Amino acid sequence: MTKLIEKTERPPGEDLISKISLPDVFALDDSSESMWVDVIHRMDEVYSELLRNETDLERKNAELEEAQTFISSVVASVSDILIACGSDGVIRKVNPAFLSLVGMQEAAVIGTRIFDYVVEADRGEAERLMSAGHEGRVLEGDLHFSAAYGREECLAMRCAALFDGRRRRFGAVLTGRPISELRRAYQALHQAHLELQQAQRKLIEQEKMASLGRLVAGVAHELNNPISFVYGNIYTLDRYRRSLAHYLKAVHQGADPEEIGTLRRMLKIDAILSDIEPLLEGTIEGADRISDIVKNLRRLSFSKTGELQPVDVDRLLRNAAHLALRAKNSLANLVIESAPGLVIDAHEGQMHQVFVNLVDNALDAVVGRDNPRVWLAASRRDDTIEIVVRDNGSGIREDNLGNIFEPFFTTKTVGEGTGLGLWISFSIIQDYGGTINVRNCGTGGAEFRVLLPLDS
Ligand code: ADP
């Protein structure tokens, strides 16, 4: 009996099989026929499997190629240099950034050792970096490379270990970023910064000298008054001494009483005797005043060195304001209202400088005003001391309000203003953890408000 193999499912290649009718080949009994059918089915299955695997393989191959192209383009686009080498330092892969650094083709580089490109002095460091991964961490360091055209380029390197699928270390990958330019730029910046700091220190010193000059002018004025009346009194006392000596000489020489009486009237001996006491008192008062001024001066040191001292706020404001007033020869009316017992821990000289600056500016602002006035007020607000310096002067132009604490900002003519006073005052107050701000008063004039923490 002949039988045609019936196929319901047709895998690829089926046409061949299905078209074979057994009578064309063999005449088979039933068992042989079923065996053949099995074999052919099996072949069909294997063939289909093969085809499936092939498609799969092609797809995976395409994916792999795509991934490789992607990785290569990423590596090529990295501007840092990248070197992958074996544990022995033999280079296996580099990126274009490295090739352009050393000025070579990839084929010439692969197989050479990384140490060949590092300057001799840095080879030890290169070996250290190559040991990365032994301790399980990335190592960092700077390496100088012998670059193209005989140059030497310093690179900040990072080195990580390469591991195979079984976590065995088989090499290292190094990445590096050129820092020679960066270093030069940094050095130039550092140098510029140092010069700037030096210039700044010089300016601060100049401003201190200017402050000192103002202080000296104020002190000179302040001393002038007691010194002149001490002088005056001493001249008068000397004149009295001569009259008394003259009178006593006549008495000792035994002049007659009438002559002594005439001399007594002529030399105004009685007036002299009653004047001596107030003259001496005045002289002592003058000397005390001079001694007070000198004591105040001693407390003022413009340097920040030494311990902070308790500074009596009322005395600080009075001294600063009076010295500023005297130095400027100002006719402004000075009003000082400070709550009693306010004390801050500070370097008195520095605080003095701040308030002389503020009062100085206020006095400048009230020049030419009717009833020129400057107010100073100090009070305590919780853990802060608030000191306000206000004037009824010109005020500050709104568009200048944001700039007046900047160095060199001045609206005064050359020689009158340096534009450093408020900047220095701001820095000093900031150093004490305080703040200083300014506003125009509704009634005209400017108001500076200094807040100082009590535990500064
Ligand atoms: P300088 O007094 O040398 O100009 P400052 O830093 O002390 O420098 O002051 C900067 C500027 O702030 C002054 O030129 C002035 O324009 C302004 N200013 C400061 N205080 C007052 C004030 N009380 N009233 C009006 N303007 C002021």
Side-chain angles (χ1 to χ4, degrees):
M1 185 186 119
T2 56
K3 218 176 186 181
L4 194 69
I5 296 174
E6 294 273 330
K7 286 182 71 65
T8 47
E9 207 185 317
R10 292 170 180 263
E14 64 186 344
D15 295 347
L16 176 71
I17 297 163
S18 60
K19 279 178 190 140
I20 297 172
S21 63
L22 287 178
D24 300 338
V25 190
F26 298 111
L28 300 168
D29 61 19
D30 274 358
S31 70
S32 308
E33 187 184 325
S34 98
M35 195 184 80
W36 270 106
V37 170
D38 273 358
V39 168
I40 289 168
H41 270 302
R42 192 86 198 105
M43 273 172 64
D44 263 0
E45 275 168 24
V46 169
Y47 189 67
S48 316
E49 178 86 18
L50 221 65
L51 281 178
R52 262 200 310 276
N53 285 349
E54 192 184 333
T55 327
D56 227 29
L57 210 66
E58 270 169 15
R59 186 177 49 79
K60 283 190 176 148
N61 220 7
E63 278 173 11
L64 208 67
E65 260 174 37
E66 202 178 315
Q68 206 166 16
T69 317
F70 176 72
I71 289 170
S72 299
S73 71
V74 168
V75 168
S77 67
V78 170
S79 58
D80 289 3
I81 67 153
L82 195 139
I83 313 157
C85 28
S87 301
D88 48 4
V90 173
I91 295 176
R92 296 190 179 183
K93 179 89 189 147
V94 292
N95 71 342
F98 180 76
L99 295 175
S100 81
L101 173 79
V102 293
M104 291 170 73
Q105 297 292 320
E106 186 167 14
V109 169
I110 303 300
T112 56
R113 298 180 80 222
I114 176 149
F115 308 110
D116 301 339
Y117 302 92
V118 175
V119 300
E120 193 148 357
D122 283 358
R123 297 219 172 121
E125 175 66 354
E127 274 170 21
R128 184 188 73 82
L129 290 178
M130 284 292 295
S131 70
H134 283 310
E135 300 95 16
R137 62 193 161 96
V138 171
L139 294 181
E140 291 181 340
D142 293 351
L143 289 182
H144 287 82
F145 280 77
S146 309
Y149 310 113
R151 284 179 305 121
E152 206 177 87
E153 187 77 64
C154 182
L155 282 91
M157 304 295 296
R158 284 171 66 82
C159 186
L162 280 174
F163 295 100
D164 65 13
R166 281 184 281 166
R167 295 294 302 156
R168 282 184 313 201
R169 184 182 184 282
F170 72 93
V173 61
L174 294 103
T175 53
R177 179 165 295 182
I179 53 170
S180 295
E181 270 307 310
L182 206 69
R183 202 167 257 186
R184 271 193 288 278
Y186 174 77
Q187 268 161 2
L189 197 73
H190 183 63
Q191 186 58 29
H193 185 225
L194 287 181
E195 281 166 16
L196 203 71
Q197 273 181 332
Q198 216 170 3
Q200 207 176 37
R201 270 197 297 274
K202 230 173 173 172
L203 282 169
I204 293 174
E205 282 310 314
Q206 275 172 9
E207 179 60 25
K208 273 186 195 165
M209 291 312 287
S211 285
L212 205 64
R214 289 197 290 270
L215 175 73
V216 169
V219 170
H221 246 94
E222 191 88 327
L223 286 175
N224 215 17
N225 195 19
I227 286 178
S228 54
F229 71 72
V230 166
Y231 254 122
N233 288 1
I234 286 173
Y235 274 120
T236 312
L237 281 169
D238 190 46
R239 220 180 53 239
Y240 288 176
R241 178 194 62 79
R242 271 184 272 123
S243 301
L244 284 172
H246 189 130
Y247 177 70
L248 285 175
K249 194 174 168 194
V251 171
H252 289 150
Q253 282 173 351
D256 64 61
E258 198 178 327
E259 202 178 331
I260 288 175
T262 314
L263 206 56
R264 186 173 178 155
R265 273 194 307 281
M266 210 177 75
L267 293 174
K268 298 184 181 145
I269 296 300
D270 295 318
I272 285 177
L273 288 176
S274 61
D275 209 18
I276 281 179
E277 194 181 344
L279 264 181
L280 283 175
E281 275 171 8
T283 310
I284 290 169
E285 197 186 309
D288 284 347
R289 179 83 199 102
I290 292 167
S291 147
D292 282 350
I293 295 168
V294 171
K295 262 191 229 145
N296 278 343
L297 269 180
R298 280 223 186 100
R299 261 197 305 273
L300 299 179
S301 141
F302 283 85
S303 94
K304 241 176 86 176
T305 52
E307 296 278 299
L308 297 178
Q309 301 282 346
V311 177
D312 182 291
V313 174
D314 183 55
R315 198 198 58 224
L316 169 80
L317 295 184
R318 282 179 198 283
N319 277 343
H322 281 118
L323 284 179
L325 194 76
R326 292 245 187 279
K328 289 229 174 260
N329 237 339
S330 171
L331 297 173
N333 186 2
L334 202 62
V335 181
I336 302 174
E337 292 163 354
S338 43
L342 295 180
V343 174
I344 46 169
D345 284 337
H347 292 105
E348 188 159 351
Q350 285 197 313
M351 282 296 154
H352 181 90
Q353 191 176 4
V354 170
F355 292 103
V356 167
N357 273 335
L358 294 180
V359 177
D360 250 359
N361 282 338
L363 293 174
D364 284 343
V366 296
V367 169
R369 295 263 140 182
D370 290 339
N371 293 324
R373 263 182 165 226
V374 175
W375 290 267
L376 282 96
S379 56
R380 184 176 174 160
R381 299 217 177 283
D382 302 324
D383 292 336
T384 318
I385 287 191
E386 181 187 71
I387 302 171
V388 175
V389 180
R390 192 176 348 129
D391 59 69
N392 62 348
S394 51
I396 299 164
R397 270 178 42 183
E398 287 297 317
D399 51 341
N400 285 345
L401 274 173
N403 308 104
I404 61 167
F405 292 105
E406 284 171 12
F408 305 114
F409 178 85
T410 181
T411 53
K412 297 175 189 169
T413 51
V414 180
E416 260 189 39
T418 58
L420 290 173
L422 286 180
W423 176 59
I424 290 176
S425 304
F426 185 90
S427 320
I428 293 175
I429 296 298
Q430 214 175 29
D431 272 358
Y432 285 94
T435 57
I436 171 168
N437 52 53
V438 62
R439 67 182 186 105
N440 281 317
C441 313
T443 50
E447 181 183 277
F448 286 83
R449 189 173 295 263
V450 176
L451 292 176
L452 286 167
L454 268 173
D455 57 357
S456 67

